[in-house]
Amino acid sequence: MHYADGSKSGCKDVLPNQFDPQEENCSDLMTSRFIERMIEAEKPDLIVFTGDNIYGPDATDAVKSMNAAFAPAIKSKIPWAAVLGNHDQESTLSREDVMKHIVGMDNTLSQLNPSGFDDFIDGFGNYNLEVHGPQGSPYVNYSILNLYFLDSGDYSTNPSVPGYGWVKPSQKFWLRQTASVLPGLVYFHMPLLEYANLDMSNLTGSRQEGISSAYVNSGLFTTLRNIGSGAIKAVFTGHDHINDFCGKFNTIHLCYGGGSGYHGYGKPGWSRRARMVVASLQKTSNGEWGEIDSIKTWKRLDDENLTLIDAQLLWRYVKMPFRRCRDCMLS
């Protein structure tokens, strides 16, 4: 969102026909209005913010900026979660204190760090949310979908390595200890180096700038690929505002959300946007809700009609055929 000081913080890279003519000037308030429209249109069960929630250098009071940035989610009373980007801590609070403030806000499911790992895990905002089955289903007390959130860092602290930070071994260790064979989605701010290895001719969405990853390959993609024999279905990141594509690398979809904030850089004439992710359930033979059947995604543009674009199927459950075996051994 790159939220700063509300009506005092102007829009960037916006044409006159891209903001509300009733407003005297284009500002952060356009970001708030867009999020409110998205919530009203889609009525999601969970709202996720993928970092750079505020733009620290222009936010004179980090607490006030965060309160305003997350206000549409809080007002909706819909549960929400957030991770940190590289700009959130550049105002009046440290990275840890920014995450502590987020954790204390109304209706959030965000966590500072996982219980039992607090003393050695790097970063702030590493956590796992388990999505259980609906009331009345056999899975009401069991997870059917895992959502993983990671702090992908801000800037390198290694003098010999310039640029952005990266996910550390302690975070990958926690992820391996926590993850299961159930379908999983992962959210963090910085795109992986593997985004640059995608087949550019087979993307859904736009690539309009370089992939601004860390210079260090953290090995996170390999960790994700090896979890639960392909349990991780997609990764969602922010950071590069005018990239909004999804592409499949190996077994995992690597996706951007697209920039939603008007105080963040963009591209004149290119609408701000946000991504929807929908996990649908199977219906069992007796009519009860079962496990995850499919995961789909699309984006909506902040235009007059909240235009829906780039709908795609990320994953669908495929039932393996039963095969008889003459020489099988029970172990």
Side-chain angles (χ1 to χ4, degrees):
M1 293 182 288
H2 269 237
Y3 216 94
D5 285 350
S7 62
K8 299 177 183 178
S9 297
C11 299
K12 298 179 181 179
D13 302 321
V14 174
L15 298 178
N17 64 351
Q18 287 184 273
F19 66 91
D20 191 340
Q22 296 179 354
E23 295 289 334
E24 293 184 5
N25 63 301
C26 186
S27 70
D28 277 333
L29 301 185
M30 286 288 292
T31 304
S32 299
R33 196 160 290 124
F34 174 38
I35 295 170
E36 289 170 351
R37 294 178 71 211
M38 277 291 298
I39 292 171
E40 177 61 28
E42 293 286 4
K43 297 177 174 57
D45 299 296
L46 176 70
I47 303 165
V48 177
F49 298 95
T50 53
D52 282 358
N53 309 296
I54 64 172
Y55 183 61
D58 292 349
T60 56
D61 185 318
V63 169
K64 288 183 178 179
S65 294
M66 283 189 283
N67 291 348
F70 296 122
I74 294 171
K75 180 182 176 183
S76 74
K77 300 189 186 306
I78 294 170
W80 58 277
V83 293
L84 300 182
N86 53 295
H87 290 305
D88 292 288
Q89 78 293 336
E90 293 175 335
S91 178
T92 55
L93 291 177
S94 69
R95 197 168 182 81
E96 179 177 7
D97 286 337
V98 167
M99 199 66 208
K100 283 182 175 178
H101 181 74
I102 291 172
V103 169
M105 298 178 81
D106 290 342
N107 303 324
T108 190
L109 301 178
S110 307
Q111 298 171 28
L112 182 63
N113 267 328
S115 176
F117 291 81
D118 312 61
D119 293 338
F120 74 88
I121 196 166
D122 286 274
F124 303 99
N126 304 289
Y127 55 103
N128 166 223
L129 298 178
E130 295 183 350
V131 181
H132 289 198
Q135 290 292 329
S137 81
Y139 299 95
V140 66
N141 294 317
Y142 301 94
S143 175
I144 57 174
L145 176 69
N146 279 312
L147 307 178
Y148 304 101
F149 301 84
L150 291 168
D151 182 356
S152 54
D154 49 8
Y155 302 99
S156 172
T157 57
N158 186 331
S160 64
V161 181
Y164 297 112
W166 55 89
V167 171
K168 302 300 194 299
S170 63
Q171 295 166 278
K172 293 188 295 176
F173 175 78
W174 164 76
L175 196 56
R176 288 193 296 268
Q177 296 299 306
T178 304
S180 75
V181 298
L182 296 168
L185 306 175
V186 188
Y187 292 87
F188 49 90
H189 184 68
M190 301 284 190
L192 297 167
L193 281 167
E194 284 78 6
Y195 275 62
N197 296 334
L198 289 166
D199 179 359
M200 294 297 118
S201 67
N202 193 30
L203 301 178
T204 301
S206 302
R207 178 180 175 177
Q208 301 180 106
E209 61 179 310
I211 310 300
S212 298
S213 305
Y215 287 112
V216 171
N217 190 330
S218 66
L220 177 58
F221 181 84
T222 300
T223 297
L224 297 175
R225 187 187 61 196
N226 292 334
I227 287 173
S229 301
I232 302 302
K233 308 306 179 187
V235 168
F236 302 96
T237 64
H239 196 54
D240 298 329
H241 300 194
I242 56 174
N243 288 339
D244 73 343
F245 63 77
C246 255
K248 193 172 185 179
F249 185 70
N250 200 298
T251 59
I252 300 174
H253 284 274
L254 303 178
C255 303
Y256 282 106
S260 59
Y262 279 83
H263 189 59
Y265 75 87
K267 181 180 179 181
W270 199 69
S271 298
R272 265 56 176 185
R273 58 203 59 211
R275 180 175 293 280
M276 280 293 299
V277 181
V278 175
S280 301
L281 302 181
Q282 302 171 26
K283 266 293 184 72
T284 64
S285 57
N286 60 0
E288 294 180 323
W289 290 114
E291 299 177 275
I292 300 295
D293 179 66
S294 66
I295 301 174
K296 300 175 182 179
T297 186
W298 59 82
K299 300 185 293 286
R300 282 194 183 271
L301 308 182
D302 190 22
D303 59 15
E304 183 179 356
N305 300 311
L306 279 179
T307 303
L308 188 154
I309 64 168
D310 294 339
Q312 66 183 118
L313 175 69
L314 297 180
W315 175 79
R316 182 178 293 281
Y317 171 78
V318 177
K319 186 176 181 180
M320 300 301 293
F322 175 75
R323 291 165 50 183
R324 293 188 178 276
C325 175
R326 291 189 306 172
D327 302 314
C328 297
M329 293 182 63
L330 181 65
S331 61

